[in-house]
C-alpha cells in the first residue's frame, strides 16, 4: 500500500522523509508481539537509499521488553530487508508500475507513462465517436433524400389516398332512400381544362409554373386530383395551405415524407422552417430529373389561406422565388391554386414564368348534362326536364352546388333550399340596420357599400334578360354579370365609393375577381339572393336611410363643440376667425 510521508514523519521525527508517497509493506509498521512472551516488536528507523534509477526504503526491527521480561534471542532480526519480500516487491513493481496498484493509470500500459496512456485513450475514444458521428450523419442524410424521392413514387400521396378511400367507402353507404350510393367521388363531366391540367401533372410541360384562380367550389382541386389519380400520383406531391406557418410546415413535411431532422439524434430539440424541406426537395429533384428526364410536380392548394400580413406575404414570395428558379432549371413544376384575388396581385409583381389559368363555372348546357349524369351515377330517378332546367338556373354551373342537389330526391326543392340558406347567410354578413347606433357605423358602412355593388349586379342582370327576350335570342339564366375593376374610370370603385372593401368581399366569397380584373357576384346563388332582397318593397328607402345615418354619425365625429362659461344673459361674445395666417403657414 501507499503511506503518506506525513505519517512517516510522525513515526520517525528524527528522520528526514522526502515529501512523496513511498511503497512498502504494512507489516513493517505494525507493532506485533514477539515469539517470546512479554515482548513487542516496533519498526526500526527507516533507511532511505537513493539511486539514479530507483529509490528504496528499509527498516530494522527493534525490540522493546516489558518490565521484568527479557528479550528473546530469537526475536532479534537481522538488519536489512527480507530477500523473499524484496523479490516480491520488485516483481510487483515491474508488473504494476512504480506507483503501486491503485491510481497508476491504465491497466494496459502503452508508453509506460500513465499521463500519455490516458491522453492516448482519450484521443482514441474521441476519434471513434467522431467517426461514428460522421458516418451516422452521412447515413441519415442519404436516408432523408431516399425518403423524399420515395414520396414522389406512385401511390404514396396522402391526399390521393384519402380520395381513393372515400371512393371505397361510398360503395358501402346508402342514400336517404336506402339505395346504395356507389357513385365516384368526382361526379362531373370531363371539363375542357382537364387536358391541360393532365399535361401539367404528368410533367409534360417544363419551364413554367402555374396559378389556378377561380371561385370556391368551382372544381380546381377536383381537376388536380383527377389528373393525379390517372397516374397514381407518380412524381406529384399535394398539400393544403394553412394560415399557421407551423401547421403549414408539418403539412409540407407530410407531403414530402420529411421530418425536418426531428427524428435525428442530432436534432431532437430543433425546429426547422419550410426552407429546409425545399432545399432537400431541390436535391431530390435534380437527381430525379437526370434519371427520368421530366420534372417533379408540387401543388400548393388554397394559398389564399395564408394571412395577408408580412409573414404570409413573405412565405408566399419565398415559394414563388423557388418556383421561378425550379422552372428555369426544369426540375420542379409548382402549381398554385387560390379562391381569392389578392395572392395573384402579390405574385404578379415578380412573375416572369407564371401562367395563369382561370377556372370558371360550367355553362348552362354543361351544367344540365352534368346534373343528369350525376343522378344516373347515384342511381337516382331522373326528374323532369323542366325541373332540371329550373334547378340549374338557380344554382348555376357551380360543380359543388350541382353535386349537392344531385343527392336530393327532388332537385328543384334542393336548389330552393340552397337559395334560402345563401340568402340567410348573406343577410347575416351585410344586413342593413336603419337608424343604427354609432357603435356599428363601420359595419353598416361596409354593408351599404356592398349593397350598392350588388344592386348594380342585379340591374345588369335584369337589363341583359330583357334585351335577350326582346331580341328573341336564347337566354342563359346562369349568366353572371361583371363590372370592370380598373378600366372605364374605375366604375366598380365609383359605385362602391370605398375600394378598400373589395378585398373583404372577395375573401367572404360575396364577389369574385377574375384574371381580367372583372368583378362579379361569386355565384348564381349570391346573385339571386341579392335580387330577392333588392326587389323587396322599401329596399331603396332602407339603403338610403342607412347611408344618411352613416353620414350623420361621421358628421358628428367631425364636429367640435365649444363651451363658454361665466356668461350671463345679455352678454355678447365676439369670435374672430383668421384663415390668412394658417394659409401663410
Amino acid at each position: 500500500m501507499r503511506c503518506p510521508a506525513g505519517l512517516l514523519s510522525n513515526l520517525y521525527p528524527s528522520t528526514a522523509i522526502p515529501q512523496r508517497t513511498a511503497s512498502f509493506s504494512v507489516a513493517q509498521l505494525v507493532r506485533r508481539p514477539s515469539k517470546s512472551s512479554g515482548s513487542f516488536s516496533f519498526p526500526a528507523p527507516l533507511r532511505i537509499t537513493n539511486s539514479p534509477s530507483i529509490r528504496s526504503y528499509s527498516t530494522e526491527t527493534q525490540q522493546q521488553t516489558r518490565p521484568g521480561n527479557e528479550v528473546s534471542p530469537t526475536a532479534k532480526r537481522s538488519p536489512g530487508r527480507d530477500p523473499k519480500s524484496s523479490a516480491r516487491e520488485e516483481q510487483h513493481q515491474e508488473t504494476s508500475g512504480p506507483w503501486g496498484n491503485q491510481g497508476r493509470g491504465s491497466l494496459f500500459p502503452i508508453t509506460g507513462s500513465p499521463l500519455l496512456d490516458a491522453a492516448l485513450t482519450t484521443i482514441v475514444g474521441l476519434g471513434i465517436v467522431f467517426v461514428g458521428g460522421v458516418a451516422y450523419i452521412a447515413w441519415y442524410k442519404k436516408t432523408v433524400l431516399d425518403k423524399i424521392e420515395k414520396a414522389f413514387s406512385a401511390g404514396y400521396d396522402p391526399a390521393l389516398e384519402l380520395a381513393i378511400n372515400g371512393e371505397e367507402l361510398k360503395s358501402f353507404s346508402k342514400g336517404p332512400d336506402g339505395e346504395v350510393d356507389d357513385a365516384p367521388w368526382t361526379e362531373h363531366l370531363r371539363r375542357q381544362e382537364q387536358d391541360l391540367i393532365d399535361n401539367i401533372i404528368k410533367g409534360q410541360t417544363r419551364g413554367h409554373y402555374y396559378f389556378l384562380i377561380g371561385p370556391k367550389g368551382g372544381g380546381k382541386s377536383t381537376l388536380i386530383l383527377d389528373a393525379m389519380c390517372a397516374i397514381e400520383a407518380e412524381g406529384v406531391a399535394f398539400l393544403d395551405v394553412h394560415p399557421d406557418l407551423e401547421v403549414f410546415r408539418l403539412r409540407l413535411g407530410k407531403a414530402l415524407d420529411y421530418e425536418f431532422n426531428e427524428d435525428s439524434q442530432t436534432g431532437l430539440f430543433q425546429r426547422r422552417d419550410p426552407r429546409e424541406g425545399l432545399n432537400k426537395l431541390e436535391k431530390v429533384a435534380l437527381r430525379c430529373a437526370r434519371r427520368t428526364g421530366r420534372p417533379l410536380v408540387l401543388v400548393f392548394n388554397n394559398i389564399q389561406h395564408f394571412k395577408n400580413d408580412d409573414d404570409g406575404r413573405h412565405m408566399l414570395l419565398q415559394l414563388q422565388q423557388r418556383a421561378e428558379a425550379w422552372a428555369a432549371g426544369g426540375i420542379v413544376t409548382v402549381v398554385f391554386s387560390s379562391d381569392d384575388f389578392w395572392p395573384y396581385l402579390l405574385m404578379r409583381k415578380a412573375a416572369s414564368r407564371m401562367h395563369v389559368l382561370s377556372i370558371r363555372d360550367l355553362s348552362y348546357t354543361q351544367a344540365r348534362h352534368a346534373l343528369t349524369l350525376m343522378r344516373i351515377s347515384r342511381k337516382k330517378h331522373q326528374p323532369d326536364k323542366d325541373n332540371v332546367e329550373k334547378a340549374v338556373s338557380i344554382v348555376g354551373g357551380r360543380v359543388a352546388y350541382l353535386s349537392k342537389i344531385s343527392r336530393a330526391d327532388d332537385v328543384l326543392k334542393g336548389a330552393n333550399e340552397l337559395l334560402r340558406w345563401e340568402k340567410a347567410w348573406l343577410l347575416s354578413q351585410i344586413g342593413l340596420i336603419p337608424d343604427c347606433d354609432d357603435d356599428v357605423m363601420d359595419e353598416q358602412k361596409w354593408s351599404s357599400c356592398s349593397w350598392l355593388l350588388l344592386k348594380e349586379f342585379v340591374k345588369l342582370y335584369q337589363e341583359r334578360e330583357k334585351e335577350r327576350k326582346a331580341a328573341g335570342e336564347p337566354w342563359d339564366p346562369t349568366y353572371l354579370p361583371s363590372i370592370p375593376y380598373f378600366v372605364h374610370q374605375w366604375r366598380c370603385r365609383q359605385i362602391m365609393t370605398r375600394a378598400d372593401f373589395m378585398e373583404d368581399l372577395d375573401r367572404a366569397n360575396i364577389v369574385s375577381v377574375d384574371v381580367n380584373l372583372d368583378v362579379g357576384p361569386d355565384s348564381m346563388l349570391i346573385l339571386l339572393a341579392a335580387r330577392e332582397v333588392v326587389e323587396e318593397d322599401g329596399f331603396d328607402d332602407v339603403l338610403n336611410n342607412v347611408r344618411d345615418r352613416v353620414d350623420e354619425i361621421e358628421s358628428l365625429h367631425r364636429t367640435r363643440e365649444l363651451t363658454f362659461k361665466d356668461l350671463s344673459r345679455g352678454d355678447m361674445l365676439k369670435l374672430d376667425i383668421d384663415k390668412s395666417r394658417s394659409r401663410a403657414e
Side-chain angles (χ1 to χ4, degrees), residues 129-147 261 264-266 280 283 287:
V129 172
F130 176 76
V131 173
V134 171
Y136 171 77
I137 293 176
W139 170 83
Y140 178 79
K141 289 183 177 181
K142 181 181 181 302
T143 304
V144 166
L145 297 181
D146 294 339
K147 288 173 61 179
N261 294 341
S264 170
Q265 299 297 328
T266 60
K280 298 294 184 181
K283 296 180 181 180
R287 186 167 64 181

Side-chain angles (χ1 to χ4, degrees), residues 275-520:
R275 178 179 53 188
E276 297 294 332
L278 299 178
N279 292 336
K280 298 294 184 181
L281 174 60
E282 183 174 330
K283 296 180 181 180
V284 174
L286 288 171
R287 186 167 64 181
C288 293
R290 297 189 185 100
R291 188 179 70 254
T292 62
R294 62 185 181 89
L296 301 177
V297 180
L298 182 61
V299 181
F300 295 99
N301 192 36
N302 294 326
I303 61 173
Q304 78 278 355
H305 290 324
F306 279 132
K307 293 181 180 180
N308 193 6
D309 56 5
D310 291 339
D311 293 337
R313 289 190 291 266
H314 291 168
M315 177 56 66
L316 190 57
L317 181 60
Q318 180 180 355
L319 296 178
Q320 184 186 13
Q321 291 175 346
R322 291 283 184 157
E324 290 278 351
W326 291 342
I331 57 175
V332 179
T333 301
V334 182
V335 179
F336 301 97
S337 70
S338 174
D339 298 341
D340 298 341
F341 189 66
W342 74 264
Y344 170 73
L345 290 178
L346 178 64
M347 299 176 65
R348 187 176 180 273
K349 300 177 182 178
S352 60
R353 295 178 176 271
M354 183 176 70
H355 284 189
V356 183
L357 302 178
S358 182
I359 308 299
R360 304 178 182 272
D361 292 342
L362 299 177
S363 64
Y364 182 54
T365 303
Q366 292 175 343
R368 288 183 301 169
H369 189 38
L371 180 58
T372 302
L373 291 180
M374 290 178 188
R375 299 285 294 184
I376 294 175
S377 62
R378 293 182 175 276
K379 299 181 180 179
K380 301 287 187 179
H381 67 277
Q382 291 299 317
D384 297 336
K385 183 178 180 181
D386 295 339
N387 290 339
V388 172
E389 293 179 354
K390 292 179 181 179
V392 172
S393 64
I394 294 175
V395 301
R398 189 66 52 85
V399 177
Y401 296 152
L402 292 174
S403 178
K404 288 182 179 180
I405 65 175
S406 67
R407 295 182 174 91
D409 295 334
D410 189 351
V411 292
L412 184 57
K413 182 179 179 180
N416 289 325
E417 286 290 329
L418 289 179
L419 178 59
R420 183 175 63 84
W421 295 339
E422 197 75 11
K423 180 181 178 181
W425 176 83
L426 182 63
L427 292 176
S428 68
Q429 297 295 314
I430 56 174
L432 298 174
I433 304 176
D435 299 327
C436 63
D437 193 67
D438 57 349
D439 294 336
V440 293
M441 183 194 66
D442 295 334
E443 178 186 348
Q444 289 303 300
K445 186 187 298 184
W446 182 60
S447 300
S448 60
C449 293
S450 302
W451 279 111
L452 288 175
L453 186 60
L454 292 177
K455 182 181 177 181
E456 186 68 20
F457 290 148
V458 173
K459 180 181 177 181
L460 293 176
Y461 182 81
Q462 292 173 343
E463 291 177 355
R464 180 67 176 271
E465 183 180 5
K466 291 179 181 179
E467 292 176 0
R468 290 290 183 176
K469 289 183 178 180
E473 298 178 357
W475 163 243
D476 183 5
T478 61
Y479 161 76
L480 291 176
S482 61
I483 301 175
Y485 185 48
F486 289 110
V487 298
H488 300 300
Q489 298 180 352
W490 300 280
R491 182 184 175 191
C492 186
R493 292 186 173 190
Q494 293 176 355
I495 294 172
M496 289 192 64
T497 68
R498 287 293 299 270
D500 55 332
F501 290 156
M502 187 64 63
E503 182 179 338
D504 295 333
L505 291 175
D506 187 19
R507 187 180 296 109
N509 295 326
I510 296 177
V511 301
S512 177
V513 185
D514 60 8
V515 293
N516 298 320
L517 301 179
D518 292 335
V519 182

